[in-house]
Amino acid sequence: MDAGGSFGMLNKAQSRNPLQEHVLHRRISKENLDRFIPNRSAMDFDFAHYMLMEARKGKENPVARSPAKEAYRKHLAEALNLNRSRILAFKNKPPTPAESLFPEATSVQQAKPAKARRSIPQTSERTLDAPDIIDDYYLNLLDWGSSNVLAIALGNTVYLWDATDSSTSELMTVDEDTGPITSVSWAPDGRHIAVGLNNSEVQLWDSASNKQLRTLRGGHESRVGAMDWNNHVLSTGGMDGLIINNDVRIRNHIVETYRGHHQEVCGLKWSASGQQLASGGNDNLLHIWDRSVASSNSPTQWLHRLEDHTAAVKALAWCPFQANLLASGGGGGDRCIKFWNTHTGACLNSVDTGSQVCSLLWNKNEREVLSSHGFTQNQLTLWKYPSMVKIAELTGHTSRVLYMAQSPDGCTVASAAGDETLRFWNVFGTPELAKPAPKANPEPFAHFNHIR
C-alpha cells in the first residue's frame, strides 16, 4: 500500500508531500539575557571616594611637604592599605587553598562537565493518517516491535510502518464476521506478531513472509483486547475476564488460566524478569500475578489484589530501573497515576492528573514517565520521577490519546487517538553513549609514603 493511502501523511496543505518529516525551527530569543550584577558588599567605597576626590586634589594643587610629613604619609598609606591603583577594585583575592589530600577526586570533579538540559519539542515530528481506528478505551491497537516496525490496527486491517525507511505495508485483513481487530502485540523477536480479534480468536503472523502461522482458539468466549509476551508464552486478556497463558510452541497451547477479574481485562504487562504479570480491568481492579504463586496450591492465584483505583485500569508500565516498581493509571472516574511496590503490594504514591489516563510509558534513559490523556486537553504529559513534577505537556491531538508505543531505542513515542491521527514525538531525547566502567577508587592516602 502506498504512502498516500489509509496510512499516508496528514495533509494540512496541498503542497505537502506524503510522509514528509516536519523540522521544527525554534526561535532563539535575545531577550532576558543574564546581566552582570556586581557584589557591592565586596567593594570599598570609602577608598574609592578618597581616590576620586582627595587624591585628585593633591595632584592638582601640589603642596610642598617636609621629609618628615612625607614619610608619615607613606607610613599611614601602607597601614591603611591605600597604595592601590584601581579605583572601584574588588578586595584582595582569597588565599590559594591548601593541597587536597585526595588530588584524584579533585581532578575528577573539576573535569566533569555540567549536564546540558534536554530540549523537548512541543509539537509532533510527524503526523500520519489513521482512518477507521477504533475509539475504544479497552482495546490495544498499537505496538512498536524490536525490529523498528510499528503495527497499528485500523478497523479490520493491520498495517506495518517501517521506521527505518518510512515504508508502509498491509499485513492482513479479516472479514466482518471475524473483526474488527481488537489488539496487536509484537513477539520479542520483532518478526512474529499476535493479532487479537473480536470473535475471541488470536492469530499469529510472520511479518517477513506475510503468512499466518496459526490460530489460537478455545480459550476466550469474547473479544481479546489485551495481550503481552513472555518469551514464547503469549498472555491474552478477554472481555470474559479471563487471562490465558498460551505456549505458542505446542499444539495444546493453553498452559495456565488466571481468574480474578469480574469484567473485561484491558491492560496486561509482564515484568522484565518474566516473573510477575500485572493486569488491569474494567472492574477497577489491579492484579499482580506471580508465576510461583499461580502454579502452587495457594487459595488465590494472584499475589496482590489492589483495589485503590475507582475506574477501569488500562494503563500499566513496569519501571526499567527498579524491578518491583509498577505504574498504573485509572480511567475517567479515577484520573490517578499510582506507583506500587509489587513485592509488598504497597501504594508508594498517587497523583491526580485531572483527566482520564489512557496509557503510560517510562523513559529508558532518564527517571521520567509519560502519560497520555483524554478530555479536556487530550495531551501527553511528561513527569519527573519520583517528584512527579510536570516537565512538559504535548498537545496536538483533538481526541483522547488512547494508545502509545515506544521505539526500540527508547527515544521516540508514537501516539494514536480517536481523531484518526498517528503522531510521533521526540519526547525522550537521544540516549547517552555507553559509559566506560568507572575505575575502582584508590585506597585513602595511597599516594602518601607515610603518615606522621
Side-chain angles (χ1 to χ4, degrees), residues 257-305:
T257 301
Y258 296 161
R259 293 176 172 86
H261 288 283
H262 309 302
Q263 296 186 38
E264 181 168 14
V265 178
C266 49
L268 274 182
K269 290 292 179 185
W270 278 100
S271 63
S273 65
Q275 186 64 27
Q276 292 185 335
L277 173 67
S279 66
N282 193 32
D283 50 9
N284 308 345
L285 294 177
L286 170 61
H287 283 100
I288 306 298
W289 312 84
D290 192 284
R291 301 190 73 176
S292 59
V293 175
S295 59
S296 66
N297 294 324
S298 173
T300 58
Q301 290 180 291
W302 60 80
L303 177 64
H304 300 294
R305 168 178 275 187

mmCIF file of all heavy atoms in Angstrom, residues 257-305:
data_model
loop_
_atom_site.group_PDB
_atom_site.id
_atom_site.type_symbol
_atom_site.label_atom_id
_atom_site.label_comp_id
_atom_site.label_asym_id
_atom_site.label_seq_id
_atom_site.Cartn_x
_atom_site.Cartn_y
_atom_site.Cartn_z
ATOM 1 N N THR A 257 -4.559 -20.553 33.207
ATOM 2 C CA THR A 257 -5.672 -19.613 33.149
ATOM 3 C C THR A 257 -5.789 -18.913 34.493
ATOM 4 O O THR A 257 -5.916 -19.570 35.530
ATOM 5 C CB THR A 257 -6.995 -20.322 32.816
ATOM 6 O OG1 THR A 257 -6.872 -20.997 31.548
ATOM 7 C CG2 THR A 257 -8.134 -19.317 32.735
ATOM 8 N N TYR A 258 -5.719 -17.584 34.468
ATOM 9 C CA TYR A 258 -5.835 -16.794 35.693
ATOM 10 C C TYR A 258 -7.251 -16.244 35.808
ATOM 11 O O TYR A 258 -7.765 -15.620 34.859
ATOM 12 C CB TYR A 258 -4.848 -15.619 35.685
ATOM 13 C CG TYR A 258 -3.385 -16.023 35.686
ATOM 14 C CD1 TYR A 258 -2.403 -15.118 35.289
ATOM 15 C CD2 TYR A 258 -2.986 -17.292 36.099
ATOM 16 C CE1 TYR A 258 -1.070 -15.454 35.299
ATOM 17 C CE2 TYR A 258 -1.650 -17.646 36.109
ATOM 18 C CZ TYR A 258 -0.694 -16.727 35.698
ATOM 19 O OH TYR A 258 0.637 -17.078 35.706
ATOM 20 N N ARG A 259 -7.863 -16.476 36.959
ATOM 21 C CA ARG A 259 -9.213 -15.982 37.209
ATOM 22 C C ARG A 259 -9.182 -15.035 38.405
ATOM 23 O O ARG A 259 -8.731 -15.415 39.475
ATOM 24 C CB ARG A 259 -10.165 -17.149 37.481
ATOM 25 C CG ARG A 259 -10.404 -18.048 36.279
ATOM 26 C CD ARG A 259 -11.266 -19.247 36.622
ATOM 27 N NE ARG A 259 -11.655 -20.006 35.431
ATOM 28 C CZ ARG A 259 -10.909 -20.956 34.897
ATOM 29 N NH1 ARG A 259 -9.730 -21.263 35.442
ATOM 30 N NH2 ARG A 259 -11.317 -21.600 33.811
ATOM 31 N N GLY A 260 -9.663 -13.823 38.203
ATOM 32 C CA GLY A 260 -9.668 -12.839 39.277
ATOM 33 C C GLY A 260 -10.452 -11.597 38.915
ATOM 34 O O GLY A 260 -11.001 -10.921 39.787
ATOM 35 N N HIS A 261 -10.536 -11.315 37.619
ATOM 36 C CA HIS A 261 -11.298 -10.153 37.156
ATOM 37 C C HIS A 261 -12.755 -10.549 36.901
ATOM 38 O O HIS A 261 -13.039 -11.659 36.432
ATOM 39 C CB HIS A 261 -10.681 -9.576 35.876
ATOM 40 C CG HIS A 261 -9.377 -8.862 36.110
ATOM 41 N ND1 HIS A 261 -9.315 -7.599 36.639
ATOM 42 C CD2 HIS A 261 -8.099 -9.256 35.885
ATOM 43 C CE1 HIS A 261 -8.037 -7.229 36.723
ATOM 44 N NE2 HIS A 261 -7.292 -8.221 36.278
ATOM 45 N N HIS A 262 -13.657 -9.619 37.197
ATOM 46 C CA HIS A 262 -15.084 -9.865 37.001
ATOM 47 C C HIS A 262 -15.604 -9.220 35.721
ATOM 48 O O HIS A 262 -16.717 -9.514 35.300
ATOM 49 C CB HIS A 262 -15.876 -9.321 38.195
ATOM 50 C CG HIS A 262 -15.352 -9.778 39.512
ATOM 51 N ND1 HIS A 262 -15.244 -11.111 39.853
ATOM 52 C CD2 HIS A 262 -14.898 -9.083 40.585
ATOM 53 C CE1 HIS A 262 -14.741 -11.213 41.074
ATOM 54 N NE2 HIS A 262 -14.522 -10.004 41.540
ATOM 55 N N GLN A 263 -14.801 -8.325 35.142
ATOM 56 C CA GLN A 263 -15.184 -7.681 33.892
ATOM 57 C C GLN A 263 -13.999 -7.722 32.931
ATOM 58 O O GLN A 263 -12.998 -8.389 33.203
ATOM 59 C CB GLN A 263 -15.647 -6.235 34.157
ATOM 60 C CG GLN A 263 -16.903 -6.133 35.012
ATOM 61 C CD GLN A 263 -17.396 -4.714 35.126
ATOM 62 O OE1 GLN A 263 -17.356 -3.932 34.177
ATOM 63 N NE2 GLN A 263 -17.876 -4.343 36.318
ATOM 64 N N GLU A 264 -14.103 -6.997 31.829
ATOM 65 C CA GLU A 264 -13.113 -7.085 30.758
ATOM 66 C C GLU A 264 -11.707 -6.731 31.239
ATOM 67 O O GLU A 264 -11.497 -5.756 31.952
ATOM 68 C CB GLU A 264 -13.503 -6.163 29.601
ATOM 69 C CG GLU A 264 -12.537 -6.224 28.430
ATOM 70 C CD GLU A 264 -13.069 -5.538 27.189
ATOM 71 O OE1 GLU A 264 -14.058 -4.784 27.307
ATOM 72 O OE2 GLU A 264 -12.504 -5.752 26.100
ATOM 73 N N VAL A 265 -10.734 -7.536 30.798
ATOM 74 C CA VAL A 265 -9.323 -7.251 31.043
ATOM 75 C C VAL A 265 -8.839 -6.326 29.925
ATOM 76 O O VAL A 265 -8.886 -6.686 28.743
ATOM 77 C CB VAL A 265 -8.494 -8.552 31.067
ATOM 78 C CG1 VAL A 265 -7.013 -8.236 31.265
ATOM 79 C CG2 VAL A 265 -8.997 -9.491 32.156
ATOM 80 N N CYS A 266 -8.365 -5.127 30.321
ATOM 81 C CA CYS A 266 -7.973 -4.148 29.300
ATOM 82 C C CYS A 266 -6.493 -3.771 29.374
ATOM 83 O O CYS A 266 -6.004 -3.025 28.516
ATOM 84 C CB CYS A 266 -8.831 -2.891 29.402
ATOM 85 S SG CYS A 266 -8.990 -2.198 31.059
ATOM 86 N N GLY A 267 -5.764 -4.276 30.388
ATOM 87 C CA GLY A 267 -4.335 -3.997 30.485
ATOM 88 C C GLY A 267 -3.582 -5.233 30.926
ATOM 89 O O GLY A 267 -3.975 -5.910 31.881
ATOM 90 N N LEU A 268 -2.475 -5.556 30.235
ATOM 91 C CA LEU A 268 -1.621 -6.702 30.573
ATOM 92 C C LEU A 268 -0.174 -6.332 30.321
ATOM 93 O O LEU A 268 0.169 -5.886 29.213
ATOM 94 C CB LEU A 268 -1.970 -7.924 29.719
ATOM 95 C CG LEU A 268 -3.091 -8.870 30.157
ATOM 96 C CD1 LEU A 268 -3.207 -10.021 29.161
ATOM 97 C CD2 LEU A 268 -2.852 -9.405 31.555
ATOM 98 N N LYS A 269 0.689 -6.498 31.336
ATOM 99 C CA LYS A 269 2.114 -6.219 31.163
ATOM 100 C C LYS A 269 2.936 -7.182 32.021
ATOM 101 O O LYS A 269 2.739 -7.282 33.227
ATOM 102 C CB LYS A 269 2.464 -4.787 31.577
ATOM 103 C CG LYS A 269 1.927 -3.710 30.653
ATOM 104 C CD LYS A 269 2.594 -3.753 29.297
ATOM 105 C CE LYS A 269 2.011 -2.684 28.386
ATOM 106 N NZ LYS A 269 2.555 -2.775 27.007
ATOM 107 N N TRP A 270 3.868 -7.893 31.375
ATOM 108 C CA TRP A 270 4.827 -8.729 32.080
ATOM 109 C C TRP A 270 6.006 -7.877 32.536
ATOM 110 O O TRP A 270 6.438 -6.959 31.827
ATOM 111 C CB TRP A 270 5.343 -9.850 31.188
ATOM 112 C CG TRP A 270 4.438 -11.049 31.098
ATOM 113 C CD1 TRP A 270 3.568 -11.351 30.083
ATOM 114 C CD2 TRP A 270 4.325 -12.103 32.060
ATOM 115 N NE1 TRP A 270 2.918 -12.527 30.349
ATOM 116 C CE2 TRP A 270 3.360 -13.016 31.555
ATOM 117 C CE3 TRP A 270 4.929 -12.375 33.281
ATOM 118 C CZ2 TRP A 270 2.995 -14.171 32.235
ATOM 119 C CZ3 TRP A 270 4.564 -13.530 33.969
ATOM 120 C CH2 TRP A 270 3.619 -14.411 33.446
ATOM 121 N N SER A 271 6.545 -8.197 33.707
ATOM 122 C CA SER A 271 7.759 -7.530 34.176
ATOM 123 C C SER A 271 8.940 -7.983 33.322
ATOM 124 O O SER A 271 8.876 -9.004 32.620
ATOM 125 C CB SER A 271 8.013 -7.852 35.648
ATOM 126 O OG SER A 271 8.239 -9.239 35.826
ATOM 127 N N ALA A 272 10.038 -7.209 33.388
ATOM 128 C CA ALA A 272 11.211 -7.529 32.569
ATOM 129 C C ALA A 272 11.791 -8.893 32.911
ATOM 130 O O ALA A 272 12.326 -9.587 32.043
ATOM 131 C CB ALA A 272 12.271 -6.444 32.747
ATOM 132 N N SER A 273 11.666 -9.304 34.169
ATOM 133 C CA SER A 273 12.187 -10.607 34.585
ATOM 134 C C SER A 273 11.313 -11.764 34.122
ATOM 135 O O SER A 273 11.747 -12.918 34.126
ATOM 136 C CB SER A 273 12.317 -10.656 36.112
ATOM 137 O OG SER A 273 11.031 -10.578 36.718
ATOM 138 N N GLY A 274 10.074 -11.471 33.731
ATOM 139 C CA GLY A 274 9.150 -12.522 33.338
ATOM 140 C C GLY A 274 8.562 -13.285 34.505
ATOM 141 O O GLY A 274 7.916 -14.314 34.304
ATOM 142 N N GLN A 275 8.728 -12.778 35.711
ATOM 143 C CA GLN A 275 8.242 -13.474 36.899
ATOM 144 C C GLN A 275 6.860 -12.989 37.320
ATOM 145 O O GLN A 275 6.062 -13.756 37.845
ATOM 146 C CB GLN A 275 9.229 -13.293 38.055
ATOM 147 C CG GLN A 275 8.894 -14.086 39.310
ATOM 148 C CD GLN A 275 8.940 -15.589 39.094
ATOM 149 O OE1 GLN A 275 9.666 -16.084 38.218
ATOM 150 N NE2 GLN A 275 8.162 -16.329 39.881
ATOM 151 N N GLN A 276 6.562 -11.701 37.090
ATOM 152 C CA GLN A 276 5.293 -11.124 37.527
ATOM 153 C C GLN A 276 4.526 -10.532 36.347
ATOM 154 O O GLN A 276 5.114 -9.938 35.444
ATOM 155 C CB GLN A 276 5.522 -10.050 38.588
ATOM 156 C CG GLN A 276 6.042 -10.595 39.915
ATOM 157 C CD GLN A 276 6.137 -9.536 40.988
ATOM 158 O OE1 GLN A 276 6.267 -8.347 40.710
ATOM 159 N NE2 GLN A 276 6.059 -9.952 42.249
ATOM 160 N N LEU A 277 3.202 -10.694 36.399
ATOM 161 C CA LEU A 277 2.304 -10.152 35.386
ATOM 162 C C LEU A 277 1.329 -9.201 36.065
ATOM 163 O O LEU A 277 0.705 -9.549 37.065
ATOM 164 C CB LEU A 277 1.536 -11.280 34.693
ATOM 165 C CG LEU A 277 0.432 -10.860 33.711
ATOM 166 C CD1 LEU A 277 1.023 -10.172 32.486
ATOM 167 C CD2 LEU A 277 -0.407 -12.073 33.292
ATOM 168 N N ALA A 278 1.204 -7.993 35.525
ATOM 169 C CA ALA A 278 0.232 -7.024 36.024
ATOM 170 C C ALA A 278 -0.961 -7.011 35.081
ATOM 171 O O ALA A 278 -0.805 -7.007 33.856
ATOM 172 C CB ALA A 278 0.847 -5.633 36.119
ATOM 173 N N SER A 279 -2.170 -7.020 35.650
ATOM 174 C CA SER A 279 -3.389 -6.980 34.828
ATOM 175 C C SER A 279 -4.347 -5.949 35.402
ATOM 176 O O SER A 279 -4.500 -5.833 36.613
ATOM 177 C CB SER A 279 -4.055 -8.364 34.785
ATOM 178 O OG SER A 279 -4.545 -8.728 36.066
ATOM 179 N N GLY A 280 -4.970 -5.190 34.513
ATOM 180 C CA GLY A 280 -5.975 -4.212 34.910
ATOM 181 C C GLY A 280 -7.277 -4.498 34.195
ATOM 182 O O GLY A 280 -7.287 -4.995 33.060
ATOM 183 N N GLY A 281 -8.383 -4.183 34.861
ATOM 184 C CA GLY A 281 -9.674 -4.493 34.265
ATOM 185 C C GLY A 281 -10.697 -3.394 34.419
ATOM 186 O O GLY A 281 -10.489 -2.410 35.139
ATOM 187 N N ASN A 282 -11.828 -3.593 33.743
ATOM 188 C CA ASN A 282 -12.941 -2.653 33.834
ATOM 189 C C ASN A 282 -13.652 -2.753 35.179
ATOM 190 O O ASN A 282 -14.537 -1.948 35.472
ATOM 191 C CB ASN A 282 -13.930 -2.934 32.691
ATOM 192 C CG ASN A 282 -14.941 -1.832 32.520
ATOM 193 O OD1 ASN A 282 -14.660 -0.663 32.768
ATOM 194 N ND2 ASN A 282 -16.158 -2.194 32.103
ATOM 195 N N ASP A 283 -13.255 -3.713 36.016
ATOM 196 C CA ASP A 283 -13.815 -3.827 37.367
ATOM 197 C C ASP A 283 -13.030 -2.991 38.374
ATOM 198 O O ASP A 283 -13.202 -3.161 39.590
ATOM 199 C CB ASP A 283 -13.839 -5.293 37.801
ATOM 200 C CG ASP A 283 -12.496 -5.989 37.583
ATOM 201 O OD1 ASP A 283 -11.509 -5.299 37.268
ATOM 202 O OD2 ASP A 283 -12.442 -7.223 37.717
ATOM 203 N N ASN A 284 -12.164 -2.108 37.887
ATOM 204 C CA ASN A 284 -11.353 -1.197 38.713
ATOM 205 C C ASN A 284 -10.277 -1.926 39.501
ATOM 206 O O ASN A 284 -9.685 -1.344 40.415
ATOM 207 C CB ASN A 284 -12.213 -0.371 39.685
ATOM 208 C CG ASN A 284 -13.356 0.349 39.009
ATOM 209 O OD1 ASN A 284 -13.387 0.471 37.786
ATOM 210 N ND2 ASN A 284 -14.302 0.824 39.793
ATOM 211 N N LEU A 285 -10.026 -3.177 39.188
ATOM 212 C CA LEU A 285 -9.052 -3.972 39.926
ATOM 213 C C LEU A 285 -7.714 -4.022 39.203
ATOM 214 O O LEU A 285 -7.646 -4.028 37.966
ATOM 215 C CB LEU A 285 -9.562 -5.400 40.122
ATOM 216 C CG LEU A 285 -10.793 -5.585 41.013
ATOM 217 C CD1 LEU A 285 -11.207 -7.057 41.035
ATOM 218 C CD2 LEU A 285 -10.530 -5.077 42.421
ATOM 219 N N LEU A 286 -6.650 -4.058 40.005
ATOM 220 C CA LEU A 286 -5.295 -4.280 39.519
ATOM 221 C C LEU A 286 -4.761 -5.522 40.223
ATOM 222 O O LEU A 286 -4.730 -5.572 41.455
ATOM 223 C CB LEU A 286 -4.411 -3.064 39.821
ATOM 224 C CG LEU A 286 -2.905 -3.220 39.589
ATOM 225 C CD1 LEU A 286 -2.606 -3.528 38.130
ATOM 226 C CD2 LEU A 286 -2.159 -1.962 40.035
ATOM 227 N N HIS A 287 -4.376 -6.521 39.437
ATOM 228 C CA HIS A 287 -3.838 -7.761 39.999
ATOM 229 C C HIS A 287 -2.355 -7.878 39.657
ATOM 230 O O HIS A 287 -1.927 -7.518 38.562
ATOM 231 C CB HIS A 287 -4.567 -8.989 39.448
ATOM 232 C CG HIS A 287 -5.914 -9.230 40.055
ATOM 233 N ND1 HIS A 287 -7.083 -8.859 39.433
ATOM 234 C CD2 HIS A 287 -6.278 -9.816 41.227
ATOM 235 C CE1 HIS A 287 -8.119 -9.198 40.194
ATOM 236 N NE2 HIS A 287 -7.657 -9.781 41.288
ATOM 237 N N ILE A 288 -1.589 -8.413 40.619
ATOM 238 C CA ILE A 288 -0.213 -8.807 40.385
ATOM 239 C C ILE A 288 -0.165 -10.325 40.505
ATOM 240 O O ILE A 288 -0.470 -10.893 41.559
ATOM 241 C CB ILE A 288 0.756 -8.161 41.404
ATOM 242 C CG1 ILE A 288 0.576 -6.635 41.423
ATOM 243 C CG2 ILE A 288 2.194 -8.546 41.083
ATOM 244 C CD1 ILE A 288 0.885 -5.951 40.118
ATOM 245 N N TRP A 289 0.209 -10.964 39.398
ATOM 246 C CA TRP A 289 0.291 -12.422 39.363
ATOM 247 C C TRP A 289 1.759 -12.823 39.371
ATOM 248 O O TRP A 289 2.558 -12.295 38.595
ATOM 249 C CB TRP A 289 -0.384 -12.975 38.102
ATOM 250 C CG TRP A 289 -1.748 -12.415 37.826
ATOM 251 C CD1 TRP A 289 -2.046 -11.257 37.185
ATOM 252 C CD2 TRP A 289 -2.999 -12.997 38.189
ATOM 253 N NE1 TRP A 289 -3.406 -11.073 37.114
ATOM 254 C CE2 TRP A 289 -4.024 -12.133 37.730
ATOM 255 C CE3 TRP A 289 -3.371 -14.169 38.860
ATOM 256 C CZ2 TRP A 289 -5.377 -12.397 37.919
ATOM 257 C CZ3 TRP A 289 -4.718 -14.431 39.042
ATOM 258 C CH2 TRP A 289 -5.712 -13.557 38.571
ATOM 259 N N ASP A 290 2.112 -13.738 40.225
ATOM 260 C CA ASP A 290 3.476 -14.259 40.288
ATOM 261 C C ASP A 290 3.448 -15.722 39.855
ATOM 262 O O ASP A 290 2.607 -16.494 40.321
ATOM 263 C CB ASP A 290 4.041 -14.123 41.706
ATOM 264 C CG ASP A 290 5.532 -14.368 41.750
ATOM 265 O OD1 ASP A 290 5.942 -15.546 41.681
ATOM 266 O OD2 ASP A 290 6.284 -13.381 41.852
ATOM 267 N N ARG A 291 4.354 -16.088 38.992
ATOM 268 C CA ARG A 291 4.300 -17.432 38.419
ATOM 269 C C ARG A 291 4.437 -18.515 39.484
ATOM 270 O O ARG A 291 3.823 -19.576 39.388
ATOM 271 C CB ARG A 291 5.399 -17.593 37.369
ATOM 272 C CG ARG A 291 5.292 -16.578 36.234
ATOM 273 C CD ARG A 291 6.221 -16.904 35.091
ATOM 274 N NE ARG A 291 5.743 -18.056 34.333
ATOM 275 C CZ ARG A 291 6.332 -18.518 33.227
ATOM 276 N NH1 ARG A 291 7.417 -17.922 32.765
ATOM 277 N NH2 ARG A 291 5.854 -19.556 32.600
ATOM 278 N N SER A 292 5.223 -18.238 40.527
ATOM 279 C CA SER A 292 5.393 -19.249 41.574
ATOM 280 C C SER A 292 4.114 -19.419 42.392
ATOM 281 O O SER A 292 3.779 -20.528 42.807
ATOM 282 C CB SER A 292 6.548 -18.852 42.495
ATOM 283 O OG SER A 292 6.301 -17.592 43.097
ATOM 284 N N VAL A 293 3.392 -18.305 42.602
ATOM 285 C CA VAL A 293 2.137 -18.381 43.366
ATOM 286 C C VAL A 293 1.032 -19.012 42.532
ATOM 287 O O VAL A 293 0.256 -19.852 43.003
ATOM 288 C CB VAL A 293 1.717 -16.980 43.856
ATOM 289 C CG1 VAL A 293 0.349 -17.034 44.542
ATOM 290 C CG2 VAL A 293 2.774 -16.408 44.795
ATOM 291 N N ALA A 294 0.961 -18.614 41.256
ATOM 292 C CA ALA A 294 -0.120 -19.100 40.396
ATOM 293 C C ALA A 294 -0.050 -20.601 40.163
ATOM 294 O O ALA A 294 -1.075 -21.265 39.985
ATOM 295 C CB ALA A 294 -0.084 -18.356 39.065
ATOM 296 N N SER A 295 1.171 -21.136 40.180
ATOM 297 C CA SER A 295 1.323 -22.572 39.922
ATOM 298 C C SER A 295 1.306 -23.413 41.195
ATOM 299 O O SER A 295 1.377 -24.635 41.131
ATOM 300 C CB SER A 295 2.640 -22.819 39.170
ATOM 301 O OG SER A 295 3.737 -22.346 39.937
ATOM 302 N N SER A 296 1.204 -22.774 42.350
ATOM 303 C CA SER A 296 1.201 -23.505 43.618
ATOM 304 C C SER A 296 -0.237 -23.823 44.040
ATOM 305 O O SER A 296 -1.197 -23.537 43.331
ATOM 306 C CB SER A 296 1.898 -22.677 44.706
ATOM 307 O OG SER A 296 1.153 -21.516 44.997
ATOM 308 N N ASN A 297 -0.385 -24.383 45.216
ATOM 309 C CA ASN A 297 -1.704 -24.729 45.746
ATOM 310 C C ASN A 297 -2.272 -23.609 46.615
ATOM 311 O O ASN A 297 -3.070 -23.864 47.525
ATOM 312 C CB ASN A 297 -1.619 -26.025 46.568
ATOM 313 C CG ASN A 297 -1.267 -27.220 45.694
ATOM 314 O OD1 ASN A 297 -1.697 -27.307 44.549
ATOM 315 N ND2 ASN A 297 -0.470 -28.140 46.253
ATOM 316 N N SER A 298 -1.874 -22.383 46.332
ATOM 317 C CA SER A 298 -2.361 -21.238 47.097
ATOM 318 C C SER A 298 -3.867 -21.079 46.891
ATOM 319 O O SER A 298 -4.394 -21.366 45.798
ATOM 320 C CB SER A 298 -1.635 -19.968 46.645
ATOM 321 O OG SER A 298 -2.188 -18.829 47.249
ATOM 322 N N PRO A 299 -4.610 -20.629 47.918
ATOM 323 C CA PRO A 299 -6.068 -20.467 47.756
ATOM 324 C C PRO A 299 -6.437 -19.431 46.701
ATOM 325 O O PRO A 299 -7.520 -19.492 46.130
ATOM 326 C CB PRO A 299 -6.533 -20.031 49.153
ATOM 327 C CG PRO A 299 -5.303 -19.510 49.835
ATOM 328 C CD PRO A 299 -4.170 -20.316 49.281
ATOM 329 N N THR A 300 -5.565 -18.469 46.443
ATOM 330 C CA THR A 300 -5.791 -17.496 45.370
ATOM 331 C C THR A 300 -4.614 -17.536 44.416
ATOM 332 O O THR A 300 -3.470 -17.770 44.829
ATOM 333 C CB THR A 300 -5.945 -16.065 45.923
ATOM 334 O OG1 THR A 300 -4.764 -15.716 46.663
ATOM 335 C CG2 THR A 300 -7.157 -15.961 46.835
ATOM 336 N N GLN A 301 -4.875 -17.301 43.140
ATOM 337 C CA GLN A 301 -3.813 -17.344 42.146
ATOM 338 C C GLN A 301 -2.969 -16.081 42.150
ATOM 339 O O GLN A 301 -1.794 -16.118 41.795
ATOM 340 C CB GLN A 301 -4.416 -17.551 40.750
ATOM 341 C CG GLN A 301 -5.010 -18.928 40.523
ATOM 342 C CD GLN A 301 -5.576 -19.043 39.120
ATOM 343 O OE1 GLN A 301 -6.578 -18.419 38.795
ATOM 344 N NE2 GLN A 301 -4.921 -19.833 38.283
ATOM 345 N N TRP A 302 -3.566 -14.970 42.524
ATOM 346 C CA TRP A 302 -2.837 -13.702 42.448
ATOM 347 C C TRP A 302 -1.957 -13.503 43.678
ATOM 348 O O TRP A 302 -2.241 -13.995 44.775
ATOM 349 C CB TRP A 302 -3.811 -12.537 42.291
ATOM 350 C CG TRP A 302 -4.804 -12.403 43.421
ATOM 351 C CD1 TRP A 302 -4.604 -11.842 44.647
ATOM 352 C CD2 TRP A 302 -6.153 -12.847 43.422
ATOM 353 N NE1 TRP A 302 -5.734 -11.901 45.414
ATOM 354 C CE2 TRP A 302 -6.712 -12.516 44.688
ATOM 355 C CE3 TRP A 302 -6.971 -13.505 42.485
ATOM 356 C CZ2 TRP A 302 -8.038 -12.817 45.020
ATOM 357 C CZ3 TRP A 302 -8.278 -13.795 42.829
ATOM 358 C CH2 TRP A 302 -8.803 -13.457 44.077
ATOM 359 N N LEU A 303 -0.904 -12.725 43.473
ATOM 360 C CA LEU A 303 -0.040 -12.350 44.590
ATOM 361 C C LEU A 303 -0.644 -11.175 45.346
ATOM 362 O O LEU A 303 -0.650 -11.154 46.578
ATOM 363 C CB LEU A 303 1.360 -11.987 44.066
ATOM 364 C CG LEU A 303 2.374 -11.499 45.098
ATOM 365 C CD1 LEU A 303 2.678 -12.602 46.111
ATOM 366 C CD2 LEU A 303 3.663 -11.033 44.408
ATOM 367 N N HIS A 304 -1.162 -10.171 44.594
ATOM 368 C CA HIS A 304 -1.802 -8.998 45.213
ATOM 369 C C HIS A 304 -3.057 -8.636 44.410
ATOM 370 O O HIS A 304 -3.040 -8.671 43.173
ATOM 371 C CB HIS A 304 -0.864 -7.777 45.234
ATOM 372 C CG HIS A 304 0.408 -8.003 45.994
ATOM 373 N ND1 HIS A 304 0.436 -8.212 47.361
ATOM 374 C CD2 HIS A 304 1.697 -8.051 45.570
ATOM 375 C CE1 HIS A 304 1.685 -8.370 47.747
ATOM 376 N NE2 HIS A 304 2.478 -8.282 46.679
ATOM 377 N N ARG A 305 -4.103 -8.306 45.120
ATOM 378 C CA ARG A 305 -5.289 -7.699 44.501
ATOM 379 C C ARG A 305 -5.381 -6.277 45.051
ATOM 380 O O ARG A 305 -5.575 -6.072 46.252
ATOM 381 C CB ARG A 305 -6.564 -8.489 44.827
ATOM 382 C CG ARG A 305 -7.829 -7.739 44.444
ATOM 383 C CD ARG A 305 -9.096 -8.543 44.722
ATOM 384 N NE ARG A 305 -9.405 -9.433 43.615
ATOM 385 C CZ ARG A 305 -10.531 -10.139 43.535
ATOM 386 N NH1 ARG A 305 -11.422 -10.089 44.509
ATOM 387 N NH2 ARG A 305 -10.761 -10.912 42.494
#
